[in-house]
Amino acid sequence: MKDEHGFFTDPMTGLCAALCKAAGVRPPEQAAPASTELTDELFSRYGAFTADRIMIYNPDAIGDWVMDKYIGKFARSLEYAPVRHRFITVFPPKTPVCFASMYTGAEPEVHGILKYEKPVVTIDSIFDAFIKAGKKPCIVSVKNQSMDRIFRGRDMDYFSERYDDEVVEKALELIKKDEYDLLCVYNQRYDDAIHFTHPKSRRARRALDCYNVNFDKLVAAVKEHWSGHDTLIGMCPDHGVHRMLIGTGNHGKNIPKDMNISHLFGFLPKQDR
């Protein structure tokens, strides 16, 4: 649903508690209430369920308008994760600000990241919630990027890789080991591409292809190696993007192109062995 200015109305801060609810975990104390729209959509499609595993793929900078324009590139991803939920991200739509809100469920003024900087978030996050529940979370990210740095200091595993391909390869290894209850996998190729070129460039379109191929690989591995678990999967970008007058892509404005995002979700019930 959009307001009169073209902004989606469901805040992304409702994702954290929604994921916790799906996993039967108590959400962080300062998290916003779970998005009822998202939980209703999931339960409407899959019935009441509890996921003992969650795998979230975090591709940087896919705005809702980008997904709409290149929806054909997302065809396979939508087969795996057919629940497409529209969120409005937080302002400013900068990577560390958005991921801090995505995984704490709190507004920037609460978690403390108000601009493009990468301090460690000190309030409780979804990772803390899982740890308190006796579960094992893990983050696999490009080295020194936001997801690699802002949730440090928890009793959990972190893997810092050179770039997107290495991140996915490490994530595939970890999925095969079947040890983690929450696995978050960050990629950045499209964000890099739009800053060097623009959101519709050939380089940017190739980056979108890579994102979808990587999600396909991750889901295929989950289906093979986590078949004994009820698993929620998601493709969850942080913010959108626009093209500036000088021609290159950017993000950070309070405009629908930067603020409106789509998250994709699917549920894979455990298989009898």
Side-chain angles (χ1 to χ4, degrees):
M1 183 182 298
K2 292 183 180 179
D3 65 16
E4 66 272 21
H5 303 292
F7 292 97
F8 293 149
T9 56
D10 197 22
M12 186 187 66
T13 49
L15 173 63
C16 178
L19 294 177
C20 288
K21 182 176 182 178
V25 170
R26 184 173 182 174
E29 192 170 309
Q30 292 175 282
S35 165
T36 55
E37 294 177 29
L38 174 57
T39 56
D40 287 350
E41 289 168 1
L42 287 170
F43 293 158
S44 174
R45 185 173 188 97
Y46 297 109
F49 67 86
T50 299
D52 55 307
R53 291 288 166 90
I54 297 179
M55 190 282 291
I56 301 293
Y57 179 55
N58 289 129
D60 204 316
I62 303 177
D64 177 76
W65 75 269
V66 174
M67 190 176 290
D68 271 349
K69 183 169 184 62
Y70 300 110
I71 194 65
K73 295 181 180 296
F74 292 84
R76 188 66 175 269
S77 297
L78 283 162
E79 287 182 16
Y80 291 135
V83 176
R84 179 179 176 182
H85 185 74
R86 275 83 171 181
F87 279 123
I88 180 169
T89 193
V90 292
F91 184 83
K94 294 289 187 179
T95 300
V97 184
C98 296
F99 279 127
S101 286
M102 185 185 299
Y103 287 123
T104 64
E107 293 289 340
E109 293 77 13
V110 178
H111 62 63
I113 303 182
L114 302 172
K115 58 184 179 180
Y116 188 81
E117 59 182 2
K118 304 171 188 175
V120 172
V121 171
T122 57
I123 69 169
D124 274 358
S125 67
I126 192 172
F127 308 107
D128 300 283
F130 269 63
I131 292 166
K132 289 176 182 178
K135 296 178 180 289
K136 292 183 65 175
C138 177
I139 296 173
V140 192
S141 176
V142 178
K143 187 175 182 179
N144 288 325
Q145 297 308 309
S146 299
M147 279 293 288
D148 186 46
R149 292 174 58 178
I150 66 174
F151 296 110
R152 289 281 172 171
R154 277 81 178 171
D155 183 19
M156 57 182 282
D157 290 337
Y158 307 84
F159 294 89
S160 308
E161 305 299 330
R162 188 186 68 83
Y163 202 54
D164 286 10
D165 293 345
E166 290 82 0
V167 166
V168 172
E169 287 306 309
K170 174 57 69 175
L172 293 175
E173 291 177 20
L174 299 176
I175 292 169
K176 187 175 182 179
K177 290 181 178 179
D178 191 16
E179 295 178 349
Y180 296 105
D181 303 294
L182 171 62
L183 181 64
C184 296
V185 184
Y186 169 81
N187 275 182
Q188 69 180 64
R189 194 182 303 269
Y190 182 72
D191 189 66
D192 288 343
I194 64 96
H195 284 298
F196 279 105
T197 57
H198 61 82
K200 302 177 187 177
S201 71
R202 181 178 297 178
R203 178 173 174 176
R205 298 194 305 270
R206 287 200 301 265
L208 291 177
D209 289 334
C210 289
Y211 278 174
N212 284 283
V213 167
N214 288 342
F215 187 58
D216 187 6
K217 290 179 180 178
L218 293 168
V219 175
V222 166
K223 292 176 74 173
E224 179 178 0
H225 300 293
W226 290 5
S227 61
H229 303 278
D230 291 319
T231 303
L232 181 67
I233 58 171
M235 176 187 281
C236 301
D238 48 348
H239 56 71
V241 64
H242 68 274
R243 186 171 185 173
M244 298 186 294
L245 292 176
I246 60 172
T248 55
N250 206 348
H251 49 90
K253 290 187 175 183
N254 191 21
I255 58 176
K257 280 192 171 184
D258 286 9
M259 299 290 290
N260 289 348
I261 55 176
S262 280
H263 286 183
L264 308 182
F265 298 96
F267 178 67
L268 304 174
K270 63 183 176 182
Q271 303 298 308
D272 294 331
R273 294 185 174 184

